[in-house]
Coordinates of all heavy atoms in Angstrom, one line a residue:
P23 N -112.7 65.8 -130.3 CA -114.0 66.5 -130.0 C -115.2 65.7 -130.4 O -115.2 64.9 -131.3 CB -113.9 67.7 -131.0 CG -112.4 67.9 -131.2 CD -111.8 66.5 -131.2
S24 N -116.2 65.9 -129.6 CA -117.5 65.1 -129.9 C -118.7 66.0 -129.4 O -118.4 67.2 -129.0 CB -117.6 63.8 -129.0 OG -117.7 64.1 -127.7
S25 N -119.9 65.6 -129.4 CA -121.0 66.3 -129.1 C -121.0 66.7 -127.6 O -121.7 67.7 -127.2 CB -122.3 65.6 -129.4 OG -122.4 64.4 -128.8
S26 N -120.2 66.0 -126.7 CA -120.1 66.3 -125.3 C -119.0 67.2 -125.0 O -118.7 67.5 -123.9 CB -120.0 64.9 -124.6 OG -118.7 64.3 -124.8
T27 N -118.3 67.6 -126.0 CA -117.1 68.5 -125.8 C -117.5 69.9 -125.5 O -118.3 70.5 -126.2 CB -116.1 68.5 -127.1 OG1 -115.6 67.2 -127.2 CG2 -115.0 69.5 -126.9
L28 N -117.0 70.5 -124.4 CA -117.3 71.9 -124.1 C -116.2 72.9 -124.6 O -116.5 73.8 -125.1 CB -117.5 72.1 -122.6 CG -117.8 73.5 -122.1 CD1 -119.2 73.8 -122.6 CD2 -117.8 73.6 -120.6
L29 N -115.0 72.4 -124.3 CA -113.9 73.3 -124.8 C -112.9 72.5 -125.6 O -112.7 71.3 -125.3 CB -113.1 73.7 -123.5 CG -112.0 74.7 -123.8 CD1 -112.5 76.1 -124.1 CD2 -110.9 74.8 -122.6
D30 N -112.5 73.1 -126.7 CA -111.6 72.5 -127.7 C -110.5 73.4 -128.0 O -110.7 74.4 -128.7 CB -112.4 72.1 -129.0 CG -111.6 71.4 -130.0 OD1 -110.5 71.0 -129.7 OD2 -112.1 71.2 -131.1
V31 N -109.3 73.2 -127.4 CA -108.1 73.9 -127.7 C -107.4 73.3 -128.9 O -106.9 72.2 -128.8 CB -107.2 73.9 -126.4 CG1 -106.0 74.7 -126.6 CG2 -108.0 74.6 -125.3
Q32 N -107.2 74.2 -129.9 CA -106.5 73.6 -131.1 C -105.3 74.3 -131.5 O -105.3 75.4 -131.9 CB -107.7 73.8 -132.3 CG -109.0 73.1 -132.0 CD -109.9 73.3 -133.2 OE1 -109.8 74.3 -134.0 NE2 -111.0 72.6 -133.3
N33 N -104.2 73.5 -131.3 CA -102.9 74.0 -131.8 C -102.5 75.4 -131.5 O -102.1 76.2 -132.3 CB -102.8 73.8 -133.3 CG -102.8 72.3 -133.7 OD1 -102.3 71.5 -133.2 ND2 -103.8 72.1 -134.7
V34 N -102.8 75.8 -130.2 CA -102.6 77.2 -129.8 C -101.0 77.4 -129.6 O -100.3 76.7 -129.0 CB -103.3 77.4 -128.4 CG1 -102.8 78.8 -127.9 CG2 -104.9 77.4 -128.7
V35 N -100.6 78.5 -130.2 CA -99.3 79.0 -130.2 C -99.3 80.4 -129.6 O -100.0 81.3 -130.2 CB -98.6 79.0 -131.5 CG1 -97.2 79.6 -131.5 CG2 -98.5 77.5 -132.1
V36 N -98.4 80.7 -128.6 CA -98.3 82.1 -128.1 C -96.8 82.3 -127.9 O -96.1 81.5 -127.4 CB -99.0 82.2 -126.7 CG1 -98.7 83.6 -126.1 CG2 -100.4 81.8 -126.8
T37 N -96.3 83.4 -128.5 CA -94.9 83.8 -128.3 C -94.8 85.2 -127.7 O -95.7 86.1 -127.8 CB -94.2 83.8 -129.6 OG1 -94.9 84.7 -130.5 CG2 -94.2 82.4 -130.2
F38 N -93.8 85.5 -126.9 CA -93.5 86.8 -126.4 C -92.1 87.1 -126.8 O -91.2 86.6 -126.2 CB -93.6 86.8 -124.8 CG -95.0 86.4 -124.3 CD1 -95.2 85.1 -123.7 CD2 -96.0 87.2 -124.4 CE1 -96.5 84.8 -123.2 CE2 -97.3 86.9 -123.9 CZ -97.5 85.7 -123.4
G39 N -92.0 87.9 -127.8 CA -90.7 88.3 -128.3 C -90.1 86.9 -129.0 O -90.8 86.3 -129.8
G40 N -89.0 86.5 -128.5 CA -88.4 85.2 -129.0 C -88.8 84.1 -128.2 O -88.2 83.0 -128.5
I41 N -89.6 84.2 -127.2 CA -89.9 83.1 -126.3 C -91.2 82.5 -126.7 O -92.3 83.2 -126.8 CB -90.0 83.6 -124.8 CG1 -88.6 84.2 -124.4 CG2 -90.4 82.5 -123.8 CD1 -88.7 84.9 -123.0
V42 N -91.2 81.2 -126.8 CA -92.4 80.4 -127.2 C -93.0 79.9 -125.9 O -92.5 79.0 -125.1 CB -92.1 79.2 -128.1 CG1 -93.4 78.5 -128.3 CG2 -91.4 79.7 -129.3
A43 N -94.1 80.6 -125.5 CA -94.8 80.2 -124.2 C -95.7 79.0 -124.4 O -95.9 78.2 -123.5 CB -95.6 81.4 -123.7
L44 N -96.4 78.9 -125.5 CA -97.3 77.7 -125.9 C -96.9 77.3 -127.3 O -96.9 78.2 -128.2 CB -98.7 78.1 -125.7 CG -99.3 78.4 -124.4 CD1 -100.7 78.7 -124.5 CD2 -99.1 77.1 -123.5
D45 N -96.6 76.0 -127.5 CA -96.2 75.6 -128.8 C -97.0 74.5 -129.3 O -96.8 73.3 -129.2 CB -94.7 75.1 -128.6 CG -94.0 74.7 -129.8 OD1 -94.6 75.0 -130.9 OD2 -92.9 74.1 -129.8
G46 N -98.2 74.9 -130.0 CA -99.1 74.0 -130.6 C -99.9 73.1 -129.6 O -100.1 71.9 -129.8
V47 N -100.3 73.7 -128.5 CA -101.0 72.9 -127.5 C -102.5 72.6 -127.9 O -103.2 73.5 -128.3 CB -101.1 73.6 -126.1 CG1 -102.0 72.9 -125.1 CG2 -99.7 73.7 -125.6
S48 N -102.9 71.3 -127.8 CA -104.2 71.0 -128.2 C -104.8 69.9 -127.1 O -104.1 69.1 -126.6 CB -104.3 70.2 -129.5 OG -103.9 71.0 -130.6
F49 N -106.1 70.1 -126.8 CA -106.7 69.2 -126.0 C -108.2 69.6 -125.8 O -108.6 70.7 -126.2 CB -106.2 69.1 -124.5 CG -106.4 70.3 -123.7 CD1 -107.4 70.6 -122.9 CD2 -105.3 71.3 -123.6 CE1 -107.5 71.8 -122.1 CE2 -105.4 72.4 -122.9 CZ -106.5 72.7 -122.2
V50 N -109.1 68.6 -125.4 CA -110.4 69.0 -125.3 C -110.9 68.6 -123.9 O -110.3 67.7 -123.2 CB -111.4 68.1 -126.3 CG1 -110.9 68.5 -127.8 CG2 -111.3 66.6 -126.1
I51 N -112.0 69.3 -123.4 CA -112.6 68.9 -122.2 C -114.1 68.6 -122.3 O -114.8 69.4 -123.1 CB -112.5 70.2 -121.2 CG1 -111.1 70.6 -121.0 CG2 -113.1 69.8 -119.8 CD1 -110.9 71.9 -120.2
A52 N -114.4 67.4 -121.9 CA -115.9 67.0 -122.0 C -116.7 67.7 -121.0 O -116.3 68.1 -119.9 CB -115.9 65.5 -121.7
K53 N -117.9 67.9 -121.3 CA -118.9 68.6 -120.4 C -119.0 67.7 -119.1 O -119.1 66.5 -119.2 CB -120.3 68.7 -121.1 CG -120.3 69.7 -122.2 CD -121.7 69.8 -122.9 CE -121.7 70.7 -124.1 NZ -122.9 70.8 -124.9
G54 N -119.0 68.4 -118.1 CA -119.1 67.7 -116.7 C -117.9 67.1 -116.1 O -118.0 66.6 -115.0
H55 N -116.8 67.3 -116.9 CA -115.5 66.8 -116.3 C -114.8 67.7 -115.5 O -114.9 69.0 -115.7 CB -114.7 66.3 -117.5 CG -114.9 65.0 -118.0 ND1 -114.0 64.3 -118.8 CD2 -116.0 64.1 -117.8 CE1 -114.5 63.0 -119.0 NE2 -115.7 62.9 -118.5
V56 N -114.0 67.2 -114.6 CA -112.9 68.0 -113.9 C -111.7 67.7 -114.6 O -111.2 66.5 -114.6 CB -112.9 67.7 -112.4 CG1 -111.7 68.6 -111.9 CG2 -114.1 68.1 -111.7
Q57 N -111.0 68.6 -115.2 CA -109.8 68.4 -116.0 C -108.6 69.1 -115.3 O -108.7 70.3 -115.0 CB -109.9 68.7 -117.4 CG -108.6 68.5 -118.2 CD -109.0 67.9 -119.6 OE1 -109.8 67.1 -119.7 NE2 -108.2 68.2 -120.6
G58 N -107.6 68.4 -114.9 CA -106.4 69.0 -114.4 C -105.4 69.4 -115.5 O -105.3 68.8 -116.5
L59 N -104.7 70.5 -115.1 CA -103.7 71.0 -116.1 C -102.4 71.2 -115.2 O -102.3 72.0 -114.3 CB -104.0 72.4 -116.7 CG -103.0 73.0 -117.7 CD1 -102.8 72.1 -118.9 CD2 -103.5 74.4 -118.1
I60 N -101.4 70.4 -115.5 CA -100.1 70.4 -114.7 C -98.9 70.8 -115.5 O -98.9 70.6 -116.7 CB -99.9 69.1 -113.9 CG1 -99.7 67.9 -114.9 CG2 -101.2 68.8 -113.0 CD1 -99.3 66.7 -114.2
G61 N -97.9 71.1 -114.8 CA -96.6 71.3 -115.4 C -95.7 72.2 -114.5 O -96.2 72.9 -113.6
P62 N -94.4 72.1 -114.6 CA -93.5 72.9 -113.8 C -93.8 74.5 -114.0 O -94.4 74.8 -114.8 CB -92.1 72.6 -114.3 CG -92.3 71.3 -115.1 CD -93.7 71.5 -115.6
N63 N -93.1 75.2 -113.0 CA -93.2 76.7 -113.2 C -92.7 77.1 -114.5 O -91.6 76.6 -115.0 CB -92.4 77.3 -112.1 CG -93.1 77.3 -110.8 OD1 -94.3 77.2 -110.7 ND2 -92.2 77.3 -109.7
G64 N -93.4 78.0 -115.3 CA -92.9 78.4 -116.5 C -93.3 77.5 -117.7 O -92.9 77.7 -118.9
A65 N -94.1 76.4 -117.4 CA -94.5 75.5 -118.4 C -95.6 76.1 -119.4 O -95.6 75.6 -120.6 CB -95.1 74.3 -117.8
G66 N -96.3 77.1 -119.0 CA -97.2 77.7 -119.9 C -98.7 77.6 -119.4 O -99.6 78.0 -120.2

């Protein structure tokens, strides 16, 4: 993270029952950037 950071995702965990949908995901997005988020079906 820096002064140009717009979004800061910090160690996000999401579970549904016994299923871990997100397991400590972290990343930042700088202002003015186009950021892609990829992954197979069911990746979260």
Side-chain angles (χ1 to χ4, degrees):
S24 69
S25 59
S26 66
T27 296
L28 181 65
L29 185 74
D30 183 5
V31 178
Q32 300 180 344
N33 298 309
V34 169
V35 174
V36 176
T37 60
F38 300 107
I41 299 173
V42 179
L44 292 175
D45 189 5
V47 172
S48 297
F49 63 89
V50 300
I51 304 179
K53 294 179 181 178
H55 274 197
V56 176
Q57 183 136 324
L59 179 64
I60 65 171
N63 287 333

